[in-house]
Amino acid sequence: MHIKSQFYEDYELGVTRQTLGRTITETDFVLHAGQTGDFFPHHMDAEWCKTQPFKQRIAHGTLIFSVSIGQTASEINPEAFSKGYDRLRFVKPVFIGDTISTKVTIAEKAEDKKPGYGKVVEHVEVYNQQEEIVMVCDHILLAKRKQGEQGNSDF
Amino acid sequence: MHIKSQFYEDYELGVTRQTLGRTITETDFVLHAGQTGDFFPHHMDAEWCKTQPFKQRIAHGTLIFSVSIGQTASEINPEAFSKGYDRLRFVKPVFIGDTISTKVTIAEKAEDKKPGYGKVVEHVEVYNQQEEIVMVCDHILLAKRKQGEQGNSDF
Amino acid sequence: MHIKSQFYEDYELGVTRQTLGRTITETDFVLHAGQTGDFFPHHMDAEWCKTQPFKQRIAHGTLIFSVSIGQTASEINPEAFSKGYDRLRFVKPVFIGDTISTKVTIAEKAEDKKPGYGKVVEHVEVYNQQEEIVMVCDHILLAKRKQGEQGNSDF
Amino acid sequence: MHIKSQFYEDYELGVTRQTLGRTITETDFVLHAGQTGDFFPHHMDAEWCKTQPFKQRIAHGTLIFSVSIGQTASEINPEAFSKGYDRLRFVKPVFIGDTISTKVTIAEKAEDKKPGYGKVVEHVEVYNQQEEIVMVCDHILLAKRKQGEQGNSDF
Amino acid sequence: MHIKSQFYEDYELGVTRQTLGRTITETDFVLHAGQTGDFFPHHMDAEWCKTQPFKQRIAHGTLIFSVSIGQTASEINPEAFSKGYDRLRFVKPVFIGDTISTKVTIAEKAEDKKPGYGKVVEHVEVYNQQEEIVMVCDHILLAKRKQGEQGNSDF
Amino acid sequence: MHIKSQFYEDYELGVTRQTLGRTITETDFVLHAGQTGDFFPHHMDAEWCKTQPFKQRIAHGTLIFSVSIGQTASEINPEAFSKGYDRLRFVKPVFIGDTISTKVTIAEKAEDKKPGYGKVVEHVEVYNQQEEIVMVCDHILLAKRKQGEQGNSDF
């Protein structure tokens, strides 16, 4: 975790970064149920799950989202802030013992109505140990423009 | 937490449900950092935060998303499953000691390409104790159609 | 979790409710030891347990009590409050991986010395996945009487 | 935590032991909600509690029971086992920041139908920092008799 | 946990005490990563570990140190305080499922520059279930001298 | 967290790195007691602490050690491994609400008896928000030599 300034102009389309892996454990399921209050049997009742199509407990969607976004939290960019996420999709279930890693690609850059800022879209893909995509989403950042710094953002 | 079947046809546009409140504590911040590995100073360093615009630690976006979605997890509908989320936006920061509750409105119903299913959009709004919206998103469900049950979904 | 008023007169003898199941995990053992400070080898030392009659770690009694009572916490009744518990008995051990569910039966209604209130006894039974009872207790509630509302409880 | 054999005959009526204190924190509330799934607003919603008689969040009964019984878990007696608890009563609410300690008194010794064992009742009292009793219960132990050891329990 | 005064003169060279055992679980790994922020793949990525010499996840050194020192925390001595630790060495890796216990030996007594106090060195050895040493360190205590109490420590 | 090879020759005496800060919370105290089983009143009993010289709860030494070492865990060096720690000293108490950061200095390089490796000593200093040192230790690493790579470490 460290601080590194990156302006709108510094983001390059197509550039990717890839996190290390992390095994999703039964502990993560139990802690996430405890944090969210979601004790649905899909996540917490191994006996009931045996009667369901997936035959075993599946991770909360919010767990996989939280852990994967957490995996990408390595660089603090004081010139940008997170606006939110689009098109979050849970593509495949994650089971206890699966290992996930996250890949981020600079997918889009665009004008934004906020003066002095530009919009950057990071496309996020979460992979399991079989290299299958289990989750995707688009992270929307607003990043300061360099000319914004120079006080001439209104030319 | 209980099981209640609800088919595509059973969802009525404009119907809302509202959760009880929950106070977001320093403990939630620390547990969420521990679950996600995101120890950014925005959430974890009270001294640094004093030098920032908000003057205090702010909640992880993924914490507020996880807790609020967890708040809505009271009824298990075996006829529907979650596809994901759209337009997730963090509208205002949540601080230690804020109390959040979540309101869900059936906002949209639409055809879906998956045979025998229809798409239902739940609009999710998270409020703090000043009745300010702090987070919004759209939850995308696919719900079985009743005629799907009757085996004549292909007429 | 929702709020529903229920007066003394509304409780019907013999009525039961049954929770969904929850698998008791190694994580629950470790978190409960951490919360209570009870690190007895019966719960925490798998090697020592191999030398004991049950051959494996057994759950803290207070863990099973806490989780099962938690399972029943779905409806908030503003007209009643909990006085305590009688005849709490740990009938069979609960092991890591067992799945428990809880059944509550309205077992007794009686006069109480608190004016305007009646005593309701909920008999609580906790089952494992083999339908064996592992724990029982009687939950003592005091519930407001309807005539109490009408201000004529002293006739 | 250590092992010390104590037979039925070794328990002396009136003997007491007293634990050290422990401050019940907001963290304990949040962890206990997470372990049990009981997110009732009495324990978790500081805003709602302001509108209630106690004006602040109150501890789960099962939290105080679990922590106080945990406080007494210092000596492992291989000659006795716990059968359960009677007359568990929550006498006063416990608030965030209260400090509790637990006093155990050997209150009763009696015959038991289990051959070679006697019944011992430990009366448990939990105090807050104002020396007020907040919880009581009776812990029921079955302890081996010494004559049981000598093989003449059937005389 | 109890209080027992022990002065410098009361520590006898060669005296040992041995804790009970505790199984180190996957939960402990996950909680320790969460507490420390150390999510290195050595502890958290089961897939990557398969490609490494030990073939499986290994415990954080700080986890084994914290748990083993915690195991020795049974007696509070108001006459002594901890100064720190020397020669802390991680001799063998600890894996998920290993059971550790800790042995403390009074290894050295010496003069100390702090008036009225003497230095006591406790040698700490941590064993796994195969009786192999996995960690060692020397705990440095300063303990009050009895003559210090009598006010004549400077004769 | 990323991987970066660094050989013995790459470590330069006097080079330092400094982590960001982290506020030590009451939650950290409670979680650390839960992980270690150390519920000593110095850390857990706010009332008793009022009667002691420091007037408030103080952090477990093992908590500060674990968190500060965790703070330094940002770069994985596959060419080195940790042997242990020397001269770990708790210089000042850490209280709830203090914010700590950690500074690492390459303090010593030396021959080691392990063929192809050299010893590197990282001096670790932990600071609070008043820039006071609260903990120090020396981290002992063994790092592969570059000539070791070239197969001529035995000249």
Side-chain angles (χ1 to χ4, degrees), chain E residues 130-149:
Chain E
Q130 276 103 34
E131 305 289 334
E132 299 166 320
I133 290 183
V134 296
M135 194 201 93
V136 294
C137 68
D138 287 325
H139 182 205
I140 316 297
L141 292 170
L142 290 192
K144 228 177 263 177
R145 291 171 181 276
K146 280 180 181 164
Q147 55 265 53
E149 280 197 306

Side-chain angles (χ1 to χ4, degrees), chain B residues 64 89-94 100 126-128 132-135:
Chain B
I64 300 310
R89 294 293 180 273
F90 301 108
V91 180
K92 285 181 91 78
V94 175
I100 65 172
V126 184
Y127 292 85
N128 67 15
E132 299 166 319
I133 290 183
V134 296
M135 194 201 93

Side-chain angles (χ1 to χ4, degrees), chain C residues 37-127:
Chain C
D38 177 349
F39 288 77
F40 269 21
H42 312 70
H43 319 302
M44 300 302 278
D45 182 342
E47 295 294 322
W48 180 82
C49 286
K50 288 179 190 167
T51 71
Q52 298 295 306
F54 289 127
K55 302 297 180 204
Q56 55 177 305
R57 285 166 286 174
I58 58 174
H60 299 75
T62 49
L63 171 62
I64 300 310
F65 179 63
S66 297
V67 169
S68 61
I69 296 305
Q71 285 184 310
T72 71
S74 53
E75 247 176 36
I76 300 166
N77 180 3
E79 319 306 340
F81 62 90
S82 177
K83 209 177 144 182
Y85 296 85
D86 280 342
R87 283 177 289 281
L88 170 56
R89 294 293 179 274
F90 301 108
V91 181
K92 286 180 91 78
V94 174
F95 302 113
I96 293 171
D98 280 358
T99 297
I100 64 173
S101 62
T102 302
K103 185 179 169 186
V104 178
T105 306
I106 307 303
E108 192 191 326
K109 294 179 65 175
E111 300 294 309
D112 192 79
K113 61 185 182 222
K114 190 177 167 74
Y117 281 80
K119 174 178 152 183
V120 177
V121 178
E122 295 184 325
H123 185 60
V124 177
E125 292 167 317
V126 184
Y127 291 85

Side-chain angles (χ1 to χ4, degrees), chain D residues 20-23 25-28 31 97 99 129, chain F residues 26-28 30-31 39 41 44-47 57:
Chain D
L20 296 174
R22 176 166 157 198
T23 301
T25 64
E26 188 181 66
T27 303
D28 293 299
L31 293 177
T99 297
Q129 70 278 13
Chain F
E26 189 180 66
T27 303
D28 292 300
V30 174
L31 293 177
F39 288 77
M44 301 299 280
D45 183 342
E47 294 295 323
R57 287 165 284 173

Side-chain angles (χ1 to χ4, degrees), chain E residues 13-154:
Chain E
L13 282 178
V15 166
T16 66
R17 59 199 165 97
Q18 170 84 35
T19 72
L20 295 174
R22 177 166 157 198
T23 302
I24 300 299
T25 64
E26 188 180 67
T27 303
D28 292 299
F29 279 47
V30 174
L31 293 177
H32 196 71
Q35 177 142 73
T36 61
D38 177 350
F39 289 77
F40 268 22
H42 313 69
H43 320 302
M44 300 302 278
D45 183 342
E47 295 295 322
W48 179 81
C49 286
K50 287 179 190 166
T51 70
Q52 298 295 305
F54 289 127
K55 303 299 179 202
Q56 55 178 306
R57 286 165 285 174
I58 58 173
H60 300 75
T62 49
L63 171 62
I64 300 310
F65 179 63
S66 295
V67 169
S68 63
I69 296 304
Q71 286 184 310
T72 70
S74 54
E75 246 176 37
I76 301 166
N77 180 4
E79 319 306 339
F81 63 90
S82 176
K83 210 176 144 182
Y85 295 85
D86 280 342
R87 284 177 289 282
L88 169 56
R89 295 293 180 273
F90 301 108
V91 180
K92 286 180 90 78
V94 175
F95 302 114
I96 292 172
D98 280 358
T99 297
I100 65 172
S101 62
T102 302
K103 186 179 168 186
V104 178
T105 307
I106 307 304
E108 191 190 329
K109 294 179 66 173
E111 299 294 310
D112 192 80
K113 59 185 183 223
K114 188 177 168 72
Y117 281 80
K119 174 177 153 185
V120 177
V121 178
E122 296 184 326
H123 185 60
V124 177
E125 291 166 316
V126 184
Y127 292 86
N128 68 14
Q129 70 278 11
Q130 276 103 34
E131 305 289 334
E132 299 166 320
I133 290 183
V134 296
M135 194 201 93
V136 294
C137 68
D138 287 325
H139 182 205
I140 316 297
L141 292 170
L142 290 192
K144 228 177 263 177
R145 291 171 181 276
K146 280 180 181 164
Q147 55 265 53
E149 280 197 306
Q150 298 154 2
N152 55 0
S153 66
D154 48 352

Side-chain angles (χ1 to χ4, degrees), chain F residues 58-76:
Chain F
I58 57 173
H60 300 74
T62 49
L63 171 61
I64 300 310
F65 179 63
S66 296
V67 169
S68 62
I69 296 304
Q71 286 183 310
T72 69
S74 54
E75 245 177 38
I76 300 167

Side-chain angles (χ1 to χ4, degrees), chain B residues 4-22:
Chain B
K4 185 183 159 195
S5 272
Q6 221 179 337
F7 289 91
Y8 177 69
E9 291 79 1
D10 298 326
Y11 288 91
E12 281 181 64
L13 282 178
V15 167
T16 67
R17 59 199 165 97
Q18 171 83 35
T19 73
L20 296 174
R22 177 166 156 197

